[in-house]
């Protein structure tokens, strides 16, 4: 399969985005948002075809599913992006040299952003809105599970772009094949930045294969430590929300770490999980406390594999520790650098936890479910970076721009 012509067309079309005003971008984004709502049935019909190929019991079913309410939310997010200040043209540094040269560093688009994602049809609209607002063209590579949804969504976007006189090639959707992924990752000179959004296997493959620049996002092995000074009622709400709000997303809780002095509170701390049929993989001290006080059909003995696993399902590991240091060591071994949390009324312990834990987002008395660009006030997000070089945490408009230096003179020359 040769996709070079698609890459060439998108690269060429990206140049036009630098010539349109922010007001024009906002008008187009609002038009797309309106079309999402007014033409929701065509999107829902395409999504129904995708859902028909997936078992309802699959935990990814919820992530794949679009509903009228979710489409309304997607449209609202797009309108919100249109209201945000432009990330372009910001002067981040300026200076006049002794020889009179005037230097100015200004924010500009990357150019073409490649996005690889799995069964997440909402990402198609999120990526388009953020890329378009920031002056970037985008090449999308969705998963086969959501291919019908993605194609209908991109068709709708193309219709709006053409109505406004913008080349449709500024948004391209590749075939949902492994071969297309490989070509994108090797599209040197065409793709300026590639962002994978999915599970650990996808992210590892992209990082290990790509010849274009990559920002790692998404995979999250998330822990929450319930400290000896944790408030039980607060802990119950935080743990339940972090685990069950949406189990298939990367900020969902995977492991509850409990101080041994609070084991007697564990049945109450996790009791509400039974309503959602959450399977608990408990270590021996936790298992002894939960045995007979949590449904036997949902309680299993933890193994080494239970810790450090991103479940993306109604499953939760429980680890008992004797100290904050032991909790920190467990997170060091098993965390993924995404989101971690502590529940405690002890400020000293909380500050030590936040200082020690090496993750993009570190919470004190709040659930990790808040790790989200919209929740952070960034508008929609293009992904959550777990790396340290470049953006870290939720990535939105500012994180998908770069900069260039503008230099002005009056004929100065450099001495030999």
């Amino acid at each position: 399969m040769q996709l070079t012509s698609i890459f060439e067309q998108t690269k060429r079309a990206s140049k036009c985005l630098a010539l349109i005003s922010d007001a024009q971008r906002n008008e187009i984004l609002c038009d797309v948002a309106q079309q999402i709502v007014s033409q929701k049935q065509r999107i829902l019909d395409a999504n129904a075809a995708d859902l028909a190929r997936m078992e309802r019991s699959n935990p990814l079913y919820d992530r794949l599913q679009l509903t009228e309410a979710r489409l309304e939310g997607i449209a609202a997010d797009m309108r919100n992006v249109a209201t945000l200040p432009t990330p372009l043209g910001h002067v981040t540094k300026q200076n006049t040299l002794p020889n009179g040269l005037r230097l100015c560093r200004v924010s500009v688009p990357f150019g073409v952003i490649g996005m690889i994602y799995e069964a997440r049809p909402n990402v198609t609209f999120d990526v388009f809105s953020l890329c378009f607002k920031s002056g970037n063209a985008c090449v999308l590579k969705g998963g086969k599970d959501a291919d019908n949804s993605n194609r209908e969504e991109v068709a709708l976007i193309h219709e709006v772009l053409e109505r406004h006189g913008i080349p449709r090639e500024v948004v391209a959707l590749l075939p949902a094949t492994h071969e297309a992924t490989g070509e994108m990752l090797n599209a040197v000179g065409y793709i300026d930045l590639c962002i994978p959004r999915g599970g650990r296997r996808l992210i590892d493959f992209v990082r290990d294969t790509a010849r274009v620049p990559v920002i790692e996002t998404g995979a999250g092995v998330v822990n929450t430590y319930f400290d000896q000074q944790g408030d039980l009622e607060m802990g119950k709400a935080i743990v339940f929300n972090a685990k069950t709000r949406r189990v298939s997303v990367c900020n969902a809780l995977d492991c509850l770490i409990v101080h041994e002095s609070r084991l007697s509170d564990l049945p109450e701390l996790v009791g509400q999980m039974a309503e959602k049929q959450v399977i608990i993989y408990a270590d021996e001290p936790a298992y002894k406390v939960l045995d007979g006080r949590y449904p036997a059909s949902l309680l299993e003995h933890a193994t080494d594999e239970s810790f450090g696993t991103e479940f993306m399902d109604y499953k939760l590991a429980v680890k008992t520790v004797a100290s904050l240091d032991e909790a920190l060591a467990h997170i060091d071994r098993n965390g993924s650098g995404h989101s971690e949390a502590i529940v405690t009324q002890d400020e000293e312990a909380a500050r030590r936890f936040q200082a020690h834990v090496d993750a993009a987002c570190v919470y004190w008395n709040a659930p990790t479910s808040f790790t989200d660009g919209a929740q952070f006030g960034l508008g929609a997000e293009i992904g959550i970076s777990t790396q340290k070089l470049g953006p870290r945490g939720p990535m939105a408009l500012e994180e998908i721009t770069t900069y260039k230096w503008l230099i002005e003179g009056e004929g100065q020359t450099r001495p030999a």
Side-chain angles (χ1 to χ4, degrees), residues 205-227:
F205 174 77
V206 170
R207 184 194 59 235
D208 296 342
T209 306
R211 293 176 60 226
V212 299
V214 170
I215 292 180
E216 295 183 44
T217 74
V221 178
V222 176
N223 302 273
T224 292
Y225 170 51
F226 188 70
D227 183 55

Side-chain angles (χ1 to χ4, degrees), residues 55 98 128 284:
E55 294 292 332
F128 162 71
E284 284 308 308

Side-chain angles (χ1 to χ4, degrees), residues 131-154:
C131 285
F132 193 73
K133 175 73 175 182
S134 59
N136 291 290
C138 56
V139 176
L140 308 174
K141 165 55 181 67
K144 62 181 181 180
D145 289 333
D147 195 45
N148 289 303
S149 304
N150 291 334
R151 296 206 169 277
E152 198 61 43
E153 291 171 1
V154 170

Side-chain angles (χ1 to χ4, degrees), residues 57-256:
S57 58
N58 190 323
L60 300 184
Y61 188 93
D62 176 68
R63 194 169 69 181
L64 174 61
Q65 187 174 34
L66 293 173
T67 63
E68 288 191 23
R70 288 183 178 180
L71 289 177
E72 292 276 1
I74 289 169
D77 287 342
M78 190 171 294
R79 293 189 195 97
N80 182 51
V81 170
T83 69
L84 297 174
T86 178
L88 303 176
H90 293 176
V91 175
T92 57
K93 187 176 291 187
Q94 58 184 340
N95 188 28
T96 300
L97 300 181
N99 64 6
L101 283 179
R102 297 181 296 278
L103 278 62
C104 177
R105 193 175 73 181
V106 61
S107 58
V108 297
F110 269 100
V112 178
I113 292 180
M115 190 78 188
I116 302 173
Y117 50 108
E118 296 172 327
R120 305 167 186 247
N122 63 297
V123 172
T124 299
F125 285 129
D126 289 348
V127 171
F128 162 71
S129 65
L130 289 169
C131 285
F132 193 73
K133 175 73 175 182
S134 59
N136 291 290
C138 56
V139 176
L140 308 174
K141 165 55 181 67
K144 62 181 181 180
D145 289 333
D147 195 45
N148 289 303
S149 304
N150 291 334
R151 296 206 169 277
E152 198 61 43
E153 291 171 1
V154 170
L156 184 150
I157 292 169
H158 282 166
E159 291 165 11
V160 175
L161 290 173
E162 290 181 334
R163 188 158 62 245
H164 287 266
I166 304 298
R168 61 187 290 162
E169 290 81 10
V170 299
V171 180
L173 179 64
L174 302 183
T177 63
H178 293 299
E179 292 79 10
T181 300
E183 289 204 43
M184 177 189 284
L185 297 179
N186 285 279
V188 176
Y190 300 114
I191 303 293
D192 296 293
L193 176 66
C194 182
I195 303 173
R197 186 164 169 176
R200 171 53 58 190
R201 186 167 62 176
L202 170 65
I203 292 169
D204 287 347
F205 174 77
V206 170
R207 184 194 59 235
D208 296 342
T209 306
R211 293 176 60 226
V212 299
V214 170
I215 292 180
E216 295 183 44
T217 74
V221 178
V222 176
N223 302 273
T224 292
Y225 170 51
F226 188 70
D227 183 55
Q228 57 184 329
Q229 297 299 322
D231 179 273
L232 181 57
E233 290 303 314
M234 180 186 294
K236 287 164 56 178
I238 287 173
V239 171
F240 184 73
N241 184 257
K243 176 69 260 183
T244 67
R245 177 187 167 273
R246 289 190 70 182
V247 297
S248 62
V249 293
C250 58
N251 58 30
L253 178 62
D254 297 298
C255 179
L256 172 63

Side-chain angles (χ1 to χ4, degrees), residues 402-415:
T402 182
Y403 60 81
K404 63 182 176 184
W405 289 92
L406 305 179
I407 304 95
E408 298 179 4
E410 286 85 23
Q412 296 94 325
T413 59
R414 186 172 178 179

